[in-house]
Amino acid sequence: MMKTLYLMRHGETQFNVLHKIQGWCDSPLTENGKQQAIKARQWFADHDITFDHLYCSTAERCSDTLELISSQPYQRLKGLKENYYGLLESENDFLAENDPKKCETYYLQFGGESSNTVRDRMVKTLTAIMEQDDHQNVLAVSHGGACFNFLRAWQDPSEELQKGFGNCCIFIYEYENKKFELKEVIRQ
């Protein structure tokens, strides 16, 4: 049976505005970030989309985003966390590596994790979520890097990456037979 996963990036944060690498460290949503989450809530309402289950990363920026979208109970999962950037956490983002191939090992030298580790963690976590019988229509709020790495497990992400993975963008996946297929990306 076909199921639907709405995988969403959190709203804009103070670190996004300051061009800081966030990773596992956290910063609060900006007023703009809160408005982005409210716009996403409205988009779901306008399209008559309801969820049987909601999940988010353990980062506060994700739970704050989710709480602005829905008042339903939700579960926080470490498996939905962003890439860990090691010593580069909270540093200026010009220090980040943007080449997807180089990201596979770049952050290891700083005590961070490989993008392949993030990809595998996201696939394992989201597959486990969607394999549950009563999970037909699920919303999961995560992070830009985590969403990118999840996407590259299923397809060449280049085209979508060129369009951007802005705050509160929504990746709509169909799920069947332990495989995800990207159907659409909603960008604000």
Side-chain angles (χ1 to χ4, degrees), residues 126-143:
L126 290 168
T127 300
I129 288 170
M130 298 307 290
E131 278 297 298
Q132 297 177 68
D133 288 337
D134 62 343
H135 285 55
Q136 301 301 319
N137 224 34
V138 174
L139 173 62
V141 179
S142 187
H143 307 267

Side-chain angles (χ1 to χ4, degrees), residues 3 6 15 30 38 43 49 67 70 93 97-98 119 124 150 177:
K3 298 180 176 189
Y6 296 86
F15 272 23
T30 62
I38 291 166
W43 184 86
I49 297 168
E67 288 171 10
S70 176
D93 67 7
E97 177 55 62
N98 293 313
R119 176 198 62 206
K124 179 181 177 186
F150 180 72
N177 298 322

Side-chain angles (χ1 to χ4, degrees), residues 11-144:
E12 179 189 79
T13 66
Q14 189 172 11
F15 272 23
N16 292 148
V17 172
L18 295 173
H19 301 284
K20 299 278 189 184
I21 297 171
Q22 268 181 129
W24 286 11
C25 64
D26 215 351
S27 70
L29 295 178
T30 62
E31 282 308 311
N32 184 48
K34 293 174 186 174
Q35 289 306 310
Q36 290 168 333
I38 291 166
K39 279 184 190 173
R41 177 181 70 205
Q42 189 60 51
W43 184 86
F44 290 124
D46 290 346
H47 292 81
D48 202 26
I49 297 168
T50 57
F51 305 105
D52 42 51
H53 292 276
L54 299 99
Y55 295 88
C56 69
S57 158
T58 53
E60 195 170 294
R61 61 192 183 266
C62 291
S63 58
D64 288 351
T65 298
L66 185 54
E67 288 171 10
L68 288 167
I69 292 170
S70 176
S71 59
Q72 287 177 248
Y74 65 91
Q75 188 175 349
R76 294 171 62 165
L77 296 174
K78 290 180 181 179
L80 297 175
K81 287 174 76 163
E82 179 61 291
N83 198 99
Y84 178 58
Y85 298 107
L87 296 174
L88 296 184
E89 296 268 317
S90 79
E91 295 294 335
N92 291 315
D93 67 7
F94 67 80
L95 296 170
E97 177 55 62
N98 293 313
D99 178 89
K101 189 68 183 156
K102 291 180 182 174
C103 281
E104 291 178 18
T105 58
Y106 178 74
Y107 296 103
L108 297 175
Q109 65 187 316
F110 303 104
E113 65 184 336
S114 161
S115 61
N116 289 338
T117 303
V118 180
R119 176 198 62 206
D120 296 347
R121 170 167 44 83
M122 288 288 288
V123 167
K124 179 181 177 186
T125 301
L126 290 168
T127 300
I129 288 170
M130 298 307 290
E131 278 297 298
Q132 297 177 68
D133 288 337
D134 62 343
H135 285 55
Q136 301 301 319
N137 224 34
V138 174
L139 173 62
V141 179
S142 187
H143 307 267

